[in-house]
Amino acid sequence: MKVLKSTPIIIIALTIIFVLTNRLSYYCKKPNITVSTEQKVYNLNEKIIVVFNLGFSRAIASLLWVHTLLESDEEFYKKRDLGSWMFLRFNTIAALDKKFYNNYLFGGKYLSIIKDDIIGAEELYRKGLNQYPKDFWLSINTAHNYLFEMGNTVKALKYYSQVKFDPLAEKYFPLLPSLVAKLERERGSIESAYELLKVTYEKITTKKFKRYYAGRLYALKAEIDLNCLNSLTSINCSQVDFLGVPYLINVKGIYFAKYKWKKFKFSQKTKERIERKRGH
């Protein structure tokens, strides 16, 4: 009988506890627990999966590619150790199917721009260019990664140079020779920059870009010639500008060009960006 009498009290007490618990749960903010994709995605060792693929390497590579795209994240990879999960995945795909072009092209671009895994992108592009030497898009993206993500002007110049006159360059990147010439200028060779632009000017047919390159050639030739004419040991200096107009001389004996021009080089903003990336 005592148990029966106490039952309503227990039920009321439990109801109150239940209501209070719910109210507390509603008002109390629970901490958000997020697990990085780097921690939750599992990657098999590429050597193991290549050995035990049972002849289905291309099929497995395609499945891994689709799964990687579905699981892709935008979290920056801060280490520089070829250890990001997406690089490891792309690397495995490359081991399974060495001719999987999109894996190198889009995988490298994703690592470089989205994940900020510039070392992973460098390695993936390297493998891609081993399979597709001097491929236009792989070369351009490799050079972009070196210049704008790593600040390495020497390696950027190497990969830009090998495709500067590629037919695709004139169609999709007509100012590529100009970029290469600026890198030549950064290396300290104004004459090389001028000769490159001169060849480009002679090859290009579009009037718009013809005018563009004519203006840059005028600036480069004026700088080269005026440096020569105004030096203390001026020998065999050209006396006329790119348009064939003679240089002028002021009352102080200093030579100058008839038309306004400014030095052909990277803007200060671009130079600072490259320097920041170089020290990154």
Side-chain angles (χ1 to χ4, degrees):
M1 292 297 291
K2 287 181 179 178
V3 173
L4 290 173
K5 286 180 180 179
S6 62
T7 299
I9 297 171
I10 295 170
I11 292 171
I12 292 169
L14 288 173
T15 303
I16 293 169
I17 293 169
F18 178 77
V19 171
L20 288 172
T21 303
N22 272 284
R23 298 303 291 176
L24 285 170
S25 177
Y26 179 79
Y27 286 111
C28 291
K29 289 185 177 180
K30 294 178 281 296
N32 291 321
I33 299 174
T34 55
V35 179
S36 169
T37 311
E38 290 291 338
Q39 295 174 312
K40 69 181 182 181
V41 172
Y42 182 73
N43 278 298
L44 288 170
N45 185 291
E46 65 174 272
K47 293 180 181 177
I48 294 174
I49 200 169
V50 168
V51 171
F52 296 102
N53 65 70
L54 303 177
F56 296 102
S57 59
R58 294 189 69 182
I60 295 171
S62 297
L63 287 172
L64 284 175
W65 174 254
V66 173
H67 182 264
T68 306
L69 295 183
L70 291 172
E71 292 291 322
S72 61
D73 67 296
E74 298 178 6
E75 181 184 352
F76 275 12
Y77 188 69
K78 297 176 182 178
K79 297 178 183 178
R80 295 289 183 255
D81 60 357
L82 297 178
S84 74
W85 81 268
M86 290 194 75
F87 167 74
L88 293 173
R89 185 65 60 81
F90 293 138
N91 198 46
T92 299
I93 293 169
L96 287 165
D97 186 358
K98 289 182 171 59
K99 293 297 181 181
F100 198 150
Y101 180 76
N102 284 346
N103 180 52
Y104 303 118
L105 181 63
F106 298 111
K109 190 177 291 188
Y110 199 93
L111 290 172
S112 176
I113 299 171
I114 307 299
K115 292 287 290 179
D116 196 36
D117 183 6
I118 54 178
I119 302 300
E122 177 188 25
E123 177 63 12
L124 195 62
Y125 283 139
R126 184 190 66 78
K127 291 191 173 189
L129 285 167
N130 281 342
Q131 299 301 319
Y132 300 95
K134 295 186 179 180
D135 175 82
F136 177 74
W137 293 113
L138 288 177
S139 297
I140 286 291
N141 289 341
T142 299
H144 275 19
N145 188 56
Y146 277 125
L147 183 59
F148 297 111
E149 302 299 333
M150 303 175 78
N152 190 326
T153 54
V154 175
K155 288 189 175 181
L157 177 59
K158 173 188 174 182
Y159 289 99
Y160 280 134
S161 293
Q162 68 186 19
V163 291
K164 62 180 178 288
F165 293 132
D166 190 290
L168 289 173
E170 187 172 349
K171 183 177 180 181
Y172 295 106
F173 200 170
L175 299 184
L176 178 57
S178 177
L179 177 56
V180 174
K182 285 180 180 178
L183 286 168
E184 288 282 6
R185 167 68 187 262
E186 283 294 307
R187 198 173 62 168
S189 181
I190 304 176
E191 289 76 11
S192 294
Y194 177 76
E195 291 303 323
L196 170 59
L197 290 196
K198 193 175 178 182
V199 172
T200 307
Y201 177 78
E202 291 167 355
K203 289 169 72 76
I204 208 157
T205 56
T206 310
K207 287 184 179 180
K208 176 183 176 182
F209 294 112
K210 198 90 169 173
R211 287 195 300 271
Y212 171 87
Y213 281 111
R216 276 61 190 173
L217 281 165
Y218 186 94
L220 279 169
K221 190 173 190 305
E223 184 176 1
I224 294 168
D225 295 345
L226 294 174
N227 282 343
C228 180
L229 290 166
N230 291 316
S231 65
L232 296 175
T233 56
S234 55
I235 306 172
N236 299 324
C237 304
S238 174
Q239 300 286 331
V240 296
D241 64 20
F242 182 71
L243 301 175
V245 178
Y247 292 111
L248 306 174
I249 187 167
N250 65 19
V251 293
K252 294 181 179 179
I254 298 174
Y255 287 88
F256 64 97
K258 181 178 178 180
Y259 302 106
K260 277 188 175 182
W261 60 278
K262 66 176 183 178
K263 284 188 178 182
F264 174 78
K265 60 181 181 178
F266 283 124
S267 67
Q268 188 59 34
K269 185 177 180 181
T270 301
K271 289 185 74 171
E272 287 173 359
R273 178 185 174 186
I274 293 170
E275 284 298 323
R276 282 199 305 272
K277 292 296 182 178
R278 188 174 294 156
H280 184 53

